[in-house]
């Protein structure tokens, strides 16, 4: 639904399901890993574009818990690409004042990828201009299991109380995303219109943009178009359109 009277502000948090690398390669008769390599180029372009647009938090779904089911050589290739990306990107993240974060079961990644990740996260911990969140070995259902376990352990240790779950915020403190805002906009490339176990709870009130463009072809213009589409929407958070026209709806404190 469009709201012709006012545009939404630029989203604070954009989360992207980067999909279509394999098909991009297949269309060119190339091995799938070549699509992933080109996908890394899109990551660079989109991060620069997001900074130019003024988006403070960008989350990229890079590897799902289900992606381990792919052929061993593809998984290995993806892990190698991650390590190379982190090594190469560290200096530009620092130069651009970008803090790196990771969400997912990081401890189950190959040790070299983990080391590269921890090194770049530590090196950029002081950066304040933008936050880049990589979802790695991430699954929303796994995140809920980990949060429930963390919460239970905190209750047993006496650092959390059963009353904490009287509000969503009390439980959300145990999610991987505890110190991140919820995504305002979730983009999925490649024409698939599913969520694939990505940020199911945090995207409760996100706006979705699905584009047929394959991830290696997704660049600045495509990000700008998705943000423009988002800004023309009307977010109601349960209220009526009339209420929202009078004063913009605020995200609810979800009970
Ligand atoms: C997304 O591209 C990258 C990852 C899931 C790691 P795909 O590899 O899923 O590409 P398609 O869907 O096979 O085209
Ligand atoms: C989702 O893409 C995961 C990432 C982008 C990392 P997939 O290509 O793995 O999703 P499905 O299997 O098609 O749903
Ligand atoms: Mg895919």
């Amino acid at each position: 639904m469009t709201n012709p009277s006012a545009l939404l502000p630029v989203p604070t948090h954009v989360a992207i399901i980067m999909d279509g690398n394999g098909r991009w390669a297949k269309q060119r008769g190339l091995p799938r890993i070549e699509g992933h390599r080109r996908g890394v180029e899109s990551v660079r372009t989109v991060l620069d574009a997001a900074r130019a647009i003024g988006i403070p938090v960008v989350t990229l779904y890079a590897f799902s818990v289900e992606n381990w089911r792919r052929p061993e050589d593809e998984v290995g290739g993806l892990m190698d690409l991650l390590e190379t990306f982190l090594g190469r990107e560290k200096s530009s993240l620092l130069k651009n004042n970008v803090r790196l974060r990771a969400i997912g079961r990081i401890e189950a990644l190959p040790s070299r990828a983990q080391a590269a990740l921890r090194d770049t996260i530590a090196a950029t911990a002081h950066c304040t201009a933008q936050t880049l969140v990589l979802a790695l070995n991430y699954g929303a259902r796994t995140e809920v299991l980990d949060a429930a376990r963390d919460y239970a352990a905190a209750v047993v240790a006496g650092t959390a109380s059963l009353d904490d779950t009287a509000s969503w915020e009390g439980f959300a403190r145990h999610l991987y995303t505890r110190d991140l805002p919820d995504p305002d906009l979730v983009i999925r490339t490649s024409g698939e219109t599913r969520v694939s176990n990505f940020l199911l709870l945090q995207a409760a009130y996100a706006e979705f943009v699905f584009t047929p463009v394959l991830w290696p072809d997704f660049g600045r213009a495509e990000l700008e178009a998705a943000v423009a589409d988002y800004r023309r929407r009307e977010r109601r958070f349960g209220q009526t359109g009339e209420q929202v026209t009078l004063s913009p709806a605020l995200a609810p404190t979800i009970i």
Side-chain angles (χ1 to χ4, degrees), residues 151-187:
Y151 172 56
V155 170
V156 170
T159 54
S161 126
L162 282 181
D163 294 339
D164 290 356
T165 48
S167 73
W168 171 247
E169 280 68 23
F171 185 73
R173 278 200 288 274
H174 301 277
L175 295 171
Y176 303 145
T177 52
R178 54 183 71 95
D179 52 353
L180 294 168
D182 283 344
D184 303 292
L185 168 61
V186 176
I187 301 170

Coordinates of all heavy atoms in Angstrom, one line a residue, residues 151-187:
Y151 N 19.0 -18.6 27.9 CA 18.1 -18.1 28.9 C 17.9 -19.0 30.1 O 18.0 -18.6 31.2 CB 16.7 -17.9 28.2 CG 15.6 -17.5 29.1 CD1 15.7 -16.3 30.0 CD2 14.4 -18.2 29.2 CE1 14.7 -16.0 30.8 CE2 13.4 -17.9 30.1 CZ 13.6 -16.7 30.9 OH 12.6 -16.4 31.7
A152 N 17.8 -20.3 29.8 CA 17.6 -21.3 30.9 C 18.9 -21.3 31.7 O 18.8 -21.3 33.0 CB 17.4 -22.7 30.3
A153 N 20.0 -21.3 31.1 CA 21.3 -21.3 31.8 C 21.4 -20.0 32.7 O 21.9 -20.1 33.9 CB 22.5 -21.4 30.9
A154 N 20.9 -18.9 32.2 CA 21.0 -17.6 33.0 C 20.0 -17.7 34.2 O 20.3 -17.2 35.2 CB 20.7 -16.5 32.1
V155 N 18.9 -18.4 34.0 CA 17.9 -18.5 35.1 C 18.6 -19.4 36.2 O 18.5 -19.0 37.4 CB 16.6 -19.1 34.6 CG1 15.7 -19.5 35.8 CG2 15.8 -18.1 33.7
V156 N 19.2 -20.5 35.7 CA 19.8 -21.4 36.7 C 20.9 -20.7 37.4 O 21.1 -20.8 38.6 CB 20.4 -22.7 36.0 CG1 21.2 -23.5 36.9 CG2 19.2 -23.5 35.4
A157 N 21.7 -19.8 36.7 CA 22.8 -19.1 37.3 C 22.3 -17.9 38.1 O 23.1 -17.3 38.8 CB 23.8 -18.6 36.2
G158 N 21.1 -17.6 38.0 CA 20.5 -16.5 38.8 C 20.7 -15.1 38.2 O 20.4 -14.1 38.8
T159 N 21.2 -15.1 36.9 CA 21.4 -13.8 36.3 C 20.2 -13.4 35.4 O 20.1 -12.3 34.8 CB 22.6 -13.8 35.4 OG1 22.5 -14.9 34.5 CG2 23.9 -13.9 36.2
A160 N 19.2 -14.3 35.3 CA 17.9 -13.9 34.6 C 16.8 -14.5 35.4 O 17.0 -15.4 36.2 CB 17.9 -14.6 33.2
S161 N 15.6 -13.9 35.2 CA 14.5 -14.4 36.0 C 13.4 -14.9 35.1 O 13.3 -14.5 33.9 CB 14.0 -13.3 36.9 OG 12.6 -13.0 36.7
L162 N 12.5 -15.8 35.5 CA 11.4 -16.2 34.7 C 10.5 -15.1 34.3 O 9.9 -15.1 33.2 CB 10.6 -17.3 35.5 CG 11.1 -18.7 35.6 CD1 10.2 -19.6 36.3 CD2 11.4 -19.3 34.2
D163 N 10.5 -14.0 35.1 CA 9.7 -12.8 34.7 C 10.2 -12.1 33.5 O 9.5 -11.4 32.8 CB 9.7 -11.8 35.9 CG 9.0 -12.4 37.1 OD1 8.2 -13.3 36.9 OD2 9.3 -11.9 38.2
D164 N 11.5 -12.4 33.1 CA 12.0 -11.8 31.9 C 11.2 -12.0 30.6 O 11.1 -11.2 29.7 CB 13.4 -12.2 31.6 CG 14.4 -11.7 32.6 OD1 14.0 -11.0 33.5 OD2 15.6 -12.1 32.6
T165 N 10.5 -13.2 30.6 CA 9.7 -13.5 29.4 C 8.3 -12.9 29.5 O 7.4 -13.3 28.7 CB 9.6 -15.0 29.2 OG1 9.3 -15.7 30.4 CG2 10.9 -15.6 28.6
A166 N 8.1 -12.0 30.5 CA 6.8 -11.3 30.5 C 6.8 -10.4 29.3 O 5.7 -9.9 28.8 CB 6.7 -10.5 31.8
S167 N 7.9 -10.0 28.7 CA 8.0 -9.1 27.5 C 8.9 -9.8 26.5 O 9.8 -10.5 26.9 CB 8.5 -7.8 27.9 OG 9.9 -7.8 28.1
W168 N 8.7 -9.5 25.3 CA 9.5 -10.0 24.2 C 11.0 -9.6 24.4 O 11.9 -10.3 24.2 CB 9.0 -9.6 22.8 CG 10.0 -9.9 21.7 CD1 10.7 -9.0 20.9 CD2 10.4 -11.2 21.3 NE1 11.5 -9.7 20.1 CE2 11.3 -11.0 20.3 CE3 10.0 -12.5 21.7 CZ2 11.9 -12.1 19.6 CZ3 10.6 -13.6 21.1 CH2 11.6 -13.4 20.0
E169 N 11.2 -8.3 24.8 CA 12.5 -7.8 25.0 C 13.3 -8.6 26.0 O 14.5 -8.8 25.8 CB 12.5 -6.3 25.5 CG 12.2 -5.3 24.4 CD 10.8 -5.3 23.8 OE1 9.9 -5.9 24.5 OE2 10.6 -4.9 22.7
G170 N 12.7 -9.2 27.0 CA 13.4 -10.0 28.0 C 14.0 -11.2 27.3 O 15.1 -11.6 27.6
F171 N 13.2 -11.9 26.4 CA 13.7 -13.0 25.8 C 14.7 -12.7 24.7 O 15.7 -13.4 24.4 CB 12.6 -13.9 25.2 CG 13.0 -15.2 24.6 CD1 13.4 -16.2 25.4 CD2 13.1 -15.3 23.2 CE1 13.9 -17.4 24.9 CE2 13.5 -16.5 22.7 CZ 13.9 -17.6 23.5
A172 N 14.4 -11.6 24.0 CA 15.3 -11.2 22.8 C 16.7 -10.9 23.3 O 17.6 -10.9 22.4 CB 14.7 -9.9 22.1
R173 N 16.9 -10.6 24.6 CA 18.3 -10.4 25.1 C 19.1 -11.7 24.9 O 20.3 -11.6 25.1 CB 18.2 -10.0 26.6 CG 17.9 -8.6 26.8 CD 18.4 -8.1 28.2 NE 17.5 -8.7 29.2 CZ 16.4 -8.1 29.7 NH1 16.0 -6.9 29.1 NH2 15.7 -8.6 30.6
H174 N 18.5 -12.8 24.6 CA 19.3 -14.0 24.5 C 19.5 -14.4 23.0 O 20.1 -15.5 22.7 CB 18.6 -15.1 25.3 CG 18.5 -14.8 26.8 ND1 19.5 -15.0 27.6 CD2 17.5 -14.2 27.5 CE1 19.2 -14.5 28.8 NE2 18.0 -14.0 28.7
L175 N 18.9 -13.7 22.1 CA 19.1 -14.0 20.7 C 20.5 -13.5 20.2 O 21.1 -12.7 20.9 CB 18.0 -13.2 19.8 CG 16.6 -13.7 20.1 CD1 15.6 -12.7 19.3 CD2 16.4 -15.1 19.6
Y176 N 21.0 -14.0 19.1 CA 22.3 -13.6 18.6 C 22.3 -12.1 18.3 O 23.3 -11.4 18.3 CB 22.6 -14.3 17.2 CG 22.6 -15.8 17.1 CD1 22.1 -16.4 16.0 CD2 23.1 -16.6 18.2 CE1 22.1 -17.8 15.9 CE2 23.1 -17.9 18.1 CZ 22.6 -18.6 16.9 OH 22.6 -19.9 16.8
T177 N 21.1 -11.6 18.0 CA 20.9 -10.2 17.6 C 20.7 -9.2 18.7 O 20.1 -8.2 18.5 CB 19.8 -10.1 16.6 OG1 18.6 -10.7 17.2 CG2 20.1 -10.8 15.3
R178 N 21.0 -9.7 19.9 CA 20.6 -8.9 21.1 C 20.9 -7.4 21.1 O 20.1 -6.6 21.6 CB 21.2 -9.5 22.4 CG 22.7 -9.7 22.4 CD 23.2 -10.4 23.6 NE 22.8 -11.8 23.7 CZ 23.7 -12.8 23.3 NH1 24.9 -12.5 22.8 NH2 23.3 -14.0 23.3
D179 N 22.0 -7.0 20.5 CA 22.3 -5.6 20.5 C 22.1 -5.0 19.1 O 22.7 -3.9 18.8 CB 23.8 -5.4 20.9 CG 24.7 -6.3 20.1 OD1 24.3 -7.1 19.3 OD2 26.0 -6.1 20.3
L180 N 21.2 -5.6 18.3 CA 21.0 -5.0 16.9 C 19.5 -4.6 16.8 O 18.7 -5.3 17.4 CB 21.3 -6.1 15.9 CG 22.8 -6.5 15.7 CD1 22.9 -7.7 14.9 CD2 23.6 -5.3 15.2
P181 N 19.2 -3.6 16.0 CA 17.8 -3.3 15.8 C 17.2 -4.3 14.9 O 17.9 -5.0 14.1 CB 17.9 -1.9 15.1 CG 19.2 -1.9 14.4 CD 20.1 -2.7 15.3
D182 N 15.9 -4.5 14.9 CA 15.2 -5.4 14.0 C 15.4 -4.9 12.5 O 15.4 -3.7 12.3 CB 13.7 -5.5 14.3 CG 13.5 -6.4 15.5 OD1 14.3 -7.2 15.9 OD2 12.3 -6.3 16.0
P183 N 15.4 -5.8 11.6 CA 15.5 -5.3 10.2 C 14.2 -4.6 9.8 O 13.1 -5.0 10.1 CB 15.7 -6.6 9.3 CG 15.2 -7.7 10.2 CD 15.4 -7.3 11.6
D184 N 14.4 -3.5 9.1 CA 13.2 -2.8 8.5 C 12.9 -3.3 7.2 O 11.7 -3.4 6.8 CB 13.5 -1.3 8.4 CG 14.0 -0.7 9.7 OD1 13.1 -0.5 10.6 OD2 15.2 -0.3 9.8
L185 N 13.9 -3.7 6.5 CA 13.7 -4.2 5.1 C 14.5 -5.5 4.9 O 15.7 -5.5 5.2 CB 14.2 -3.1 4.1 CG 14.4 -3.5 2.6 CD1 13.1 -3.9 2.0 CD2 15.0 -2.3 1.9
V186 N 13.8 -6.5 4.4 CA 14.5 -7.7 4.0 C 14.4 -7.9 2.5 O 13.3 -7.8 1.9 CB 13.9 -9.0 4.7 CG1 14.6 -10.3 4.2 CG2 14.0 -8.9 6.2
I187 N 15.6 -8.0 1.8 CA 15.6 -8.2 0.4 C 16.0 -9.6 0.0 O 16.9 -10.1 0.7 CB 16.6 -7.2 -0.3 CG1 16.3 -5.8 0.1 CG2 16.8 -7.4 -1.8 CD1 17.4 -4.8 -0.3

